[in-house]
Amino acid sequence: MNKRMTAADVVGQLRDGMTLGIGGWATRRKPMALVREILRSPLKDLTVVSYGGPDVGLLAAAGKLRRLVFGFVSLDVLPIDMHFRNARQAGAFEVMELDEGMVQLGLRAAAMRVPFLPTPVGLGTDILVRNPDLKLVKSPYADGTTLVAMPALKLDAALLHVSESDERGNCVILSPDPFFDEAMARAADRVYLSCEQVVPTAKVCGHDRARYQPFERAVVTGVVEAPFGAHPTAAVPGYGIDVEHLKAYNAATSPEDWASYRQRYVDLASHDDYLEAVGGRGYLASIPPPVY
Amino acid sequence: MSTSRYTLAELCITQCAEVWRDAGEVLATGFGVVPRLGAGLATLTFSPDLMMTDGEAYLLAEPVALGPRAARAAKVEGWMPYSRTFDLLWQGRRHALVGPVQVDRYGQMNISLVGDYARPKAAILGVRGLAGNSISHPNSMFVPNHSPRVFVSGEVDMVCSAGYNPARWPEGKVPESLVIGRVITNLGVLDFGGKDHAPRLLSVHPGVSVAEVIEATGFPLECAAEIPVTPAPTDEQLALIRERLDPQDLRATAFKGNPPGDRTSSA
């Protein structure tokens, strides 16, 4: 079995109006090579579930979003993603704004094939007011507690960036935090991985590394080799956040500047062209890991 | 008492530390330079059992000085990825010190947006984890720009964290477990310990008048007949802040112009 494919193959399997989960967290381990491939495609009207960073900003700037399910969008070191901010202020997409933990519970409900998970999170807040579809439930047990029924967030596809994978989808995340990539993978009908390197099974996931495997290969649909594929976000231990690039990205908000950013960094013939455009592999490998 | 001069940032750091007094063995999370230094100071002095992370995924065995070089040399005592952070916080084993964009008389915080929900004047972050934090564990606040724009007269534009407004709760009952700690600002220290959790002025910083604080707050504050002055940092606290926790003086950027902590005579 060989699940290797190109980024264009992945996007070719996606359809207008789909719900996509995008892994990572803010400026860490975002599958940016796959996101840029979506920008180059005619795909539209997407619902995106994300612990948001420049993935959301790029999709918003390119008009790809119909709806965003999120707890936040941030560039960490630069607190506000200006592309998200401008599109949100213009009312360019619908929002389902949730607590970060509710996003996790919604993904886990989908993963567990249950319609909802009960939680007190959200009570007393405008999350309930702004999402009138969210329902409350009363515990059927003696406590009788009123809780929020966080609905399952089912994904048509999850896009995740991992450290290494074999061609069957046995993968490892060697970064310090796996975030909620596993929950997204299990909530999704199809899971597409980008990875720093495709390597033989014995190297990717032997006894020494199996504990770094977020999920088993059976959930993986496709594997794309994309070295530095999380850039400009970090994929430690390989490389840190490219803060200078994020600054340029965040400043490119006028129509002219955005067009120029797209031309320089998005509308390119290949991922290799992108790596050259952002400074080359040597430079990227030298970006130190982030400190928070 | 201190024999030396101190800055407003240093005064606020010592007051931030106070929110973790008697907190026990919980995760101390401070967002921003001043709250983080406060957590470090509490850990090094009166609350040695606190846990802290490096802001990424590791628990630190002891507070680490601010700045990249020190952070990379940090002594790690455990793993705290975000999934574990949620597990821990839902159990209530945390006290966070957060920086809200707006706060109202019910202690409800907003970091999501300002203005109309559909077309906000300023989209900021989103509710982040404030809803789950507020219902699970105590939270305190640091507000470096005390003004009616932050301490709003009505409710905040997007209620991200649960507070003491009964109208927002099932059957009109605020859960007894809900704890909102202190609010440390550039002018003084507040809490929600008044009648029915009304906001209250606990102390004013040296050189700040009670009238100034009331003027800068969009909602009424309960005030005792005598409002004490916020105590100055001790020499021990100043030494720990300056030499151990923040030798690069990142705290100097916390307030515009890095003003003195005692503004009685522009000391």
Side-chain angles (χ1 to χ4, degrees):
Chain A
M1 192 187 297
N2 187 345
K3 296 176 182 171
R4 284 191 72 162
M5 54 175 75
T6 66
D9 294 335
V10 171
V11 175
Q13 294 189 7
L14 305 178
R15 296 289 171 265
D16 291 351
M18 274 190 167
T19 298
L20 305 181
I22 302 181
W25 181 286
T27 50
R28 286 173 264 179
R29 233 168 17 73
K30 285 285 174 183
M32 297 304 290
L34 299 181
V35 169
R36 282 185 293 270
E37 192 64 38
I38 292 176
L39 263 71
R40 289 189 288 269
S41 80
L43 206 60
K44 63 178 193 296
D45 293 334
L46 299 173
T47 291
V48 164
V49 181
S50 180
Y51 297 96
D55 52 331
V56 172
L58 279 180
L59 292 167
K64 297 294 189 186
L65 290 182
R66 186 180 68 76
R67 187 163 184 258
L68 177 66
V69 181
F70 75 118
F72 66 87
V73 177
S74 172
L75 302 179
D76 287 336
V77 278
L78 316 170
I80 293 170
D81 182 303
M82 296 307 290
H83 299 284
F84 159 76
R85 160 175 274 202
N86 291 343
R88 173 79 180 86
Q89 289 176 188
F93 48 83
E94 298 167 31
V95 290
M96 184 183 193
E97 183 172 356
L98 299 166
D99 175 274
E100 295 160 356
M102 295 173 88
V103 176
Q104 182 196 162
L105 291 172
L107 294 170
R108 295 210 187 280
M112 294 160 73
R113 307 293 192 263
V114 295
F116 68 90
L117 282 172
T119 176
V121 178
L123 292 177
T125 73
D126 268 336
I127 292 170
L128 300 182
V129 176
R130 297 300 176 189
N131 297 287
D133 293 345
L134 288 180
K135 304 265 192 268
L136 302 180
V137 285
K138 209 171 168 72
S139 165
Y141 296 104
D143 60 278
T145 315
T146 298
L147 297 160
V148 177
M150 177 59 214
L153 294 172
K154 271 195 64 61
L155 308 175
D156 293 307
L159 308 179
L160 311 172
H161 185 78
V162 300
S163 306
E164 293 174 5
S165 178
D166 71 8
E167 59 186 28
R168 297 204 293 175
N170 288 304
C171 67
V172 288
I173 295 174
L174 302 175
S175 311
D177 197 325
F179 302 120
F180 300 96
D181 285 16
E182 184 200 357
M184 283 198 177
R186 294 195 189 283
D189 290 338
R190 282 179 272 178
V191 176
Y192 300 100
L193 308 179
S194 60
C195 65
E196 293 298 319
Q197 204 185 353
V198 173
V199 294
T201 307
K203 177 163 184 286
V204 72
C205 220
H207 275 104
D208 56 333
R209 277 186 169 192
R211 289 286 298 267
Y212 296 103
Q213 187 186 61
F215 39 75
E216 67 286 357
R217 62 180 161 82
V219 305
V220 177
T221 309
V223 176
V224 177
E225 186 172 67
F228 303 98
H231 182 273
T233 73
V236 174
Y239 48 98
I241 300 166
D242 191 341
V243 177
E244 292 311 310
H245 185 93
L246 283 179
K247 283 181 184 164
Y249 152 84
N250 220 24
T253 52
S254 71
E256 306 76 49
D257 289 348
W258 167 245
S260 150
Y261 181 90
R262 262 201 82 126
Q263 191 184 10
R264 280 186 73 183
Y265 300 119
V266 179
D267 296 323
L268 300 170
S270 71
H271 182 60
D272 279 338
D273 286 354
Y274 175 79
L275 297 184
E276 278 312 304
V278 295
R281 294 171 187 239
Y283 165 70
L284 298 177
S286 74
I287 300 172
V291 169
Y292 295 94
Chain B
M1 285 298 268
S2 167
T3 53
S4 42
R5 291 184 183 187
Y6 55 91
T7 65
L8 179 59
E10 289 164 345
L11 181 69
C12 287
I13 291 163
T14 60
Q15 286 303 303
C16 285
E18 287 297 326
V19 310
W20 287 289
R21 194 180 279 277
D22 305 319
E25 199 168 12
V26 302
L27 185 66
T29 309
F31 293 95
V33 168
V34 168
R36 267 175 85 160
L37 289 169
L41 185 62
T43 307
L44 290 178
T45 53
F46 44 75
S47 291
D49 296 336
L50 291 173
M51 297 184 290
M52 288 179 73
T53 74
D54 63 352
E56 188 163 28
Y58 297 106
L59 284 165
L60 301 175
E62 55 189 52
V64 62
L66 295 186
R69 201 175 317 149
R72 293 202 180 97
K75 288 181 198 152
V76 167
E77 68 173 5
W79 192 43
M80 187 58 63
Y82 286 177
S83 66
R84 190 179 286 185
T85 305
F86 284 101
D87 293 344
L88 163 152
L89 81 87
W90 285 335
Q91 294 184 322
R93 296 177 202 273
R94 180 160 90 156
H95 188 139
L97 183 45
V98 300
V101 172
Q102 292 178 327
V103 184
D104 62 29
R105 70 187 64 196
Y106 305 111
Q108 299 173 143
M109 293 186 268
N110 176 22
I111 55 168
S112 172
L113 55 85
V114 174
D116 175 64
Y117 194 73
R119 296 284 180 99
K121 194 166 74 184
I124 306 168
L125 289 170
V127 301
R128 296 224 66 149
L130 291 198
N133 297 352
S134 62
I135 205 160
S136 308
H137 61 69
N139 293 277
S140 291
M141 309 174 206
F142 172 59
V143 175
N145 51 338
H146 194 138
S147 77
R149 287 163 64 99
V150 179
F151 296 104
V152 294
S153 58
E155 286 191 293
V156 294
D157 291 348
M158 170 75 182
V159 177
C160 299
S161 69
Y164 296 120
N165 183 1
R168 287 188 169 269
W169 290 95
E171 287 133 43
K173 268 188 243 159
V174 177
E176 285 184 19
S177 56
L178 188 80
V179 178
I180 301 175
R182 292 178 176 203
V183 185
I184 292 93
T185 84
N186 55 318
L187 300 181
V189 181
L190 321 177
D191 76 356
F192 291 85
K195 185 169 186 300
D196 297 329
H197 300 293
R200 186 170 70 159
L201 178 57
L202 291 184
S203 73
V204 288
H205 297 334
V208 175
S209 73
V210 173
E212 267 177 87
V213 178
I214 288 170
E215 175 81 3
T217 309
F219 48 76
L221 283 174
E222 272 190 23
C223 295
E226 295 261 325
I227 299 290
V229 172
T230 310
T234 65
D235 289 335
E236 184 207 3
Q237 286 176 320
L238 289 175
L240 287 170
I241 292 167
R242 292 169 183 175
E243 289 153 34
R244 170 77 174 76
L245 291 168
D246 186 25
Q248 293 180 54
D249 202 12
L250 298 187
R251 66 194 176 283
T253 61
F255 296 100
K256 199 177 172 194
N258 199 22
D262 186 341
R263 286 165 281 180
T264 312
S265 54
S266 63

